[in-house]
Amino acid sequence: MVSKVIDTYRLHNIRKRYNGRSILDIAQLEIHQGELLSIIGPNGAGKSTLLRLLHFLESPDEGEIHYTGRKIYFPVPLELRRNISMVFQRTVLFNRSVRENVAFGLKVRGVEDRGQVDAVLERLDLRELEHDNARALSGGEAQRVTLAQALVLDPDVLLLDEPTANLDPYNAALIEDIIQAVRERGTSTIVLVSHNVAQAIRLADRVAVVFDGKIAELVEAQGFLDKYKDSRTRAYIEGEIP
Ligand code: ADP
């Protein structure tokens, strides 16, 4: 039997400008259901802007986005946006306990906690901290809470913007393990922006390399270093482009 690849996203002729300057220009991009797509590229290439479009926080100036087969019109209803969770590099947690921070998303959605909060606290090694004030945590602990806030919702799409930037090895490894586990479960589509090229390749099914708002190449993660073709990709991963 041939299994059919379902696309969570299909982008077609997407253009985004800020102050008249072209920031994104994507002719075509499909992101498959259940895959982990890493996006790498230099600072200012447009990676975060692409994540904001995928989160439907901003609309493209031109082009079409299809989400699970349906064309998207802006503004996008909250109900649809709630299937998508974003984890940012810098986190703002509520001045409440770790547990309340993690449970918050369920509460606003009116979803009953049937043990999801406990399960996710356990998975992210936050059990011992659950009654601590979230604002008093270290950077690594806070980032684990942020990931827990996203995972407790069991989102269809998980958008990760530099989720392990500036973290110590313990917290970075823990977060990587969780991302890996979510990917293996296959029920969420994951898009990861990371400056850590080794991590981006290690965790992904495919890697998109972005330069100047364009996808220069889209390469299978397995064997990436032997498969990419663009000379700018080599320059970027060898540290010649900031
Ligand atoms: P990356 O995530 O790859 O570093 P970004 O998507 O953050 O790149 O930014 C791409 C370009 O768009 C940068 O030149 C940035 O300065 C510009 N930019 C991003 N957001 C805005 C905005 N809201 N208004 C104006 N320019 C922006």
Side-chain angles (χ1 to χ4, degrees):
M1 194 181 90
V2 181
S3 64
K4 189 165 169 277
V5 176
I6 300 166
D7 290 327
T8 301
Y9 291 98
R10 271 200 298 121
L11 274 56
H12 186 63
N13 287 340
I14 291 295
R15 284 169 194 269
K16 180 75 185 168
R17 290 185 202 89
Y18 287 127
N19 309 320
R21 191 159 68 92
S22 175
I23 300 296
L24 271 186
D25 180 357
I26 297 179
Q28 198 188 331
L29 175 65
E30 280 96 31
I31 305 177
H32 309 317
Q33 198 281 320
E35 82 166 325
L36 194 154
L37 176 72
S38 282
I39 301 175
I40 62 171
N43 280 324
K47 305 180 298 295
S48 300
T49 304
L50 175 57
L51 280 191
R52 286 200 300 277
L53 291 184
L54 297 176
H55 200 194
F56 307 140
L57 285 172
E58 289 189 45
S59 58
D61 295 310
E62 288 175 33
E64 291 184 2
I65 301 179
H66 291 254
Y67 177 76
T68 62
R70 281 179 292 171
K71 186 173 170 184
I72 289 296
Y73 295 92
F74 287 84
V76 176
L78 186 60
E79 281 310 301
L80 189 60
R81 293 198 40 227
R82 278 184 168 167
N83 299 315
I84 304 169
S85 289
M86 174 102 107
V87 173
F88 297 93
Q89 185 184 146
R90 275 180 298 275
T91 57
V92 184
L93 296 170
F94 306 111
N95 188 19
R96 294 279 167 86
S97 71
V98 166
R99 189 182 183 88
E100 284 171 286
N101 270 272
V102 173
F104 181 76
L106 293 177
K107 215 168 168 182
V108 297
R109 285 165 174 77
V111 176
E112 194 186 336
D113 176 14
R114 294 204 177 93
Q116 301 95 303
V117 174
D118 283 329
V120 87
L121 288 170
E122 192 73 40
R123 275 170 83 191
L124 282 148
D125 201 16
L126 290 168
R127 249 312 152 40
E128 285 182 8
L129 299 172
E130 68 173 303
H131 301 300
D132 289 14
N133 187 298
R135 294 256 170 100
L137 301 176
S138 73
E141 291 162 349
Q143 190 63 333
R144 268 149 58 201
V145 174
T146 307
L147 187 57
Q149 286 179 315
L151 293 182
V152 78
L153 304 171
D154 195 14
D156 294 334
V157 177
L158 189 57
L159 303 173
L160 305 168
D161 199 354
E162 299 266 9
T164 63
N166 310 317
L167 295 190
D168 58 279
Y170 170 79
N171 281 295
L174 213 154
I175 286 177
E176 265 201 28
D177 286 351
I178 299 293
I179 295 170
Q180 185 72 49
V182 176
R183 177 191 161 218
E184 277 166 15
R185 205 162 51 125
T187 53
S188 302
T189 303
I190 310 170
V191 183
L192 167 71
V193 169
S194 179
H195 274 294
N196 181 338
V197 174
Q199 174 189 72
I201 297 169
R202 189 164 57 237
L203 291 175
D205 295 287
R206 296 187 301 158
V207 179
V209 190
V210 181
F211 291 104
D212 297 329
K214 295 191 169 77
I215 296 181
E217 53 186 336
L218 190 52
V219 185
E220 226 181 283
Q222 196 165 12
F224 176 86
L225 296 174
D226 299 317
K227 285 179 181 158
Y228 73 81
K229 294 199 169 67
D230 199 300
S231 60
R232 291 170 299 174
T233 304
R234 183 202 55 75
Y236 174 66
I237 63 186
E238 289 182 4
E240 292 165 16
I241 304 177

